[in-house]
Amino acid sequence: MTKKETVTPDDIRRAAATLRGHANTTPVMRSRLLDEVVAAPLFLKCENFQRTGSFKFRGAFNALSRLDATAKARGVLTYSSGNHAQALSLAGRLQGIAVTVVMPDDAPAVKVRATKSYGAEIITYSRAQTTREELAAELAKERGLPTIPPYDHPDIVAGQGTVGLELATEISSLSHLIVCCGGGGLLSGCAIAAKSLNPNIHVVGVEPEAADDAYRSFYSGQLQSVRDPDTIADGARTPSLGNVTFPLVRSFVDEMALVTESEIVAAMRFLWERMKIVVEPTGALAVAAVIAGRVDVKGRRTGVVISGGNVDLAYALTLFTSEQYAVAPESSE
């Protein structure tokens, strides 16, 4: 651990204590068929069973818990395509903190409805006209509200890291840990936590090919960005890693991998049909990388994080039936 690290294992352990009794300890699931397909024992950490349907609740609740009384009374602002919006809204309701959310006008309807149901004020914008960061900065200044970003914040990263802490504590001797990557909060937090328990674990981040900014940043050593990438994994449409997450990813992650849109849908379909769990496109990124052979895990005990399950059911069915994402049917067990 170097002095430059903004999030430490102790921060993650403190976050775990803060979340106790508020966040779900999500299950680790197995599939005999999946193990056979990839020739490795896989342990799936299912954050689709977390409150609000994704890992985001962990970071949101932790971040709000650490605000001072003045900030809590004033309320907070954030920007999100959906999962962080829902998470912060519920965390705010539980802690009596007003939440305002900037969301794109094409955000998944299921995520918009859930965010509203938790009591947040939603302000929409057009991706073609501005960015969420620009609009949020204007509103924060205008309203005098502190901003809790989706990933680039030490308390958010610490909260998300509790996913990796739980998995690595429950399942011993993991060789690999595969985690999806949008802005890098979940990936960096899980990497820090897992390596605090097992320094030799090999951590891999996964992005869609269409949104490969973190992949390029990781291998070039320079922060790269992408604007409004065309991917079904809406949680990975972040423009870049952040000032907090980029150096953490570089310090604690060992490898980055990319998957295609069809590989994402194939992984979703496997998880829905064979394991009977509802997983959104972003949530299936890590599983997609393993099934498609983008990461070599043969014979290795591998933890895989399923990050969330917030997907419009009608939209998911269009993905499964579209010729664009056609996949071969699985053989029966």
Side-chain angles (χ1 to χ4, degrees):
M1 186 69 62
T2 65
K3 290 184 179 180
K4 71 177 181 179
E5 310 302 358
T6 54
V7 179
T8 70
D10 283 343
D11 294 325
I12 295 172
R13 284 189 282 270
R14 280 192 290 269
T18 296
L19 290 169
R20 194 168 297 123
H22 300 287
N24 296 333
T25 299
T26 51
V28 177
M29 297 183 67
R30 303 288 309 277
S31 164
R32 180 192 61 80
L33 178 60
L34 184 57
D35 287 359
E36 291 179 358
V37 167
V38 303
L42 300 187
F43 303 85
L44 276 55
K45 180 65 169 170
C46 295
E47 284 295 294
N48 49 314
F49 294 116
Q50 187 52 259
R51 299 185 74 167
T52 72
S54 86
F55 72 96
K56 292 284 190 176
F57 179 78
R58 297 171 181 267
F61 192 93
N62 186 56
L64 290 187
S65 297
R66 295 183 64 82
L67 292 174
D68 61 33
T70 300
K72 289 181 178 180
R74 187 179 300 152
V76 299
L77 177 76
T78 195
Y79 45 87
S80 167
S81 62
N83 282 346
H84 178 67
Q86 295 173 76
L88 198 71
S89 299
L90 176 58
R93 189 177 77 177
L94 293 173
Q95 298 185 49
I97 301 170
V99 175
T100 301
V101 184
V102 173
M103 298 184 76
D105 54 16
D106 62 349
V110 65
K111 298 183 180 183
V112 175
R113 289 194 299 270
T115 301
K116 286 182 178 179
S117 74
Y118 296 131
E121 175 189 359
I122 296 176
I123 298 175
T124 59
Y125 72 98
S126 167
R127 296 180 192 267
Q129 296 177 355
T130 187
T131 68
R132 60 188 192 173
E133 291 85 1
E134 291 169 350
L135 179 55
E138 293 174 5
L139 289 169
K141 182 177 180 180
E142 176 185 307
R143 299 188 179 191
L145 297 177
T147 300
I148 305 294
Y151 57 87
D152 201 33
H153 190 292
D155 295 331
I156 292 288
V157 174
Q160 318 306 29
T162 62
V163 175
L165 183 65
E166 286 180 7
L167 177 57
T169 300
E170 180 177 348
I171 308 299
S172 62
S173 303
L174 288 175
S175 168
H176 283 54
L177 175 63
I178 320 295
V179 186
C180 68
C181 180
L186 176 65
L187 175 58
S188 59
C190 285
I192 294 166
K195 291 200 170 187
S196 73
L197 297 175
N198 177 7
N200 295 320
I201 194 169
H202 187 84
V203 180
V204 183
V206 183
E207 279 187 309
E209 284 187 349
D212 65 346
D213 56 284
Y215 180 93
R216 289 183 286 114
S217 298
F218 182 81
Y219 287 110
S220 71
Q222 301 293 322
L223 188 61
Q224 307 288 318
S225 64
V226 62
R227 184 179 178 90
D228 193 22
D230 184 17
T231 175
I232 59 174
D234 63 286
R237 289 179 184 158
T238 50
S240 70
L241 297 174
N243 293 328
V244 173
T245 60
F246 179 42
L248 292 174
V249 167
R250 289 276 294 170
S251 294
F252 292 95
V253 175
D254 300 290
E255 180 184 348
M256 293 292 297
L258 299 174
V259 293
T260 67
E261 301 296 289
S262 293
E263 288 165 352
I264 296 169
V265 175
M268 283 180 64
R269 186 165 189 161
F270 182 97
L271 293 166
W272 284 51
E273 288 186 342
R274 306 317 303 256
M275 296 188 69
K276 315 306 178 188
I277 55 177
V278 174
V279 177
E280 64 186 282
T282 309
L285 284 173
V287 174
V290 175
I291 292 178
R294 301 288 182 159
V295 183
D296 180 14
V297 299
K298 187 175 182 179
R300 299 180 173 98
R301 288 170 61 84
T302 301
V304 181
V305 176
I306 294 177
S307 62
N310 292 317
V311 62
D312 183 275
L313 298 183
Y315 172 66
L317 293 179
T318 68
L319 296 179
F320 296 148
T321 57
S322 170
E323 292 185 2
Q324 180 180 358
Y325 308 116
V327 293
E330 295 287 346
S331 60
S332 60
E333 289 192 70

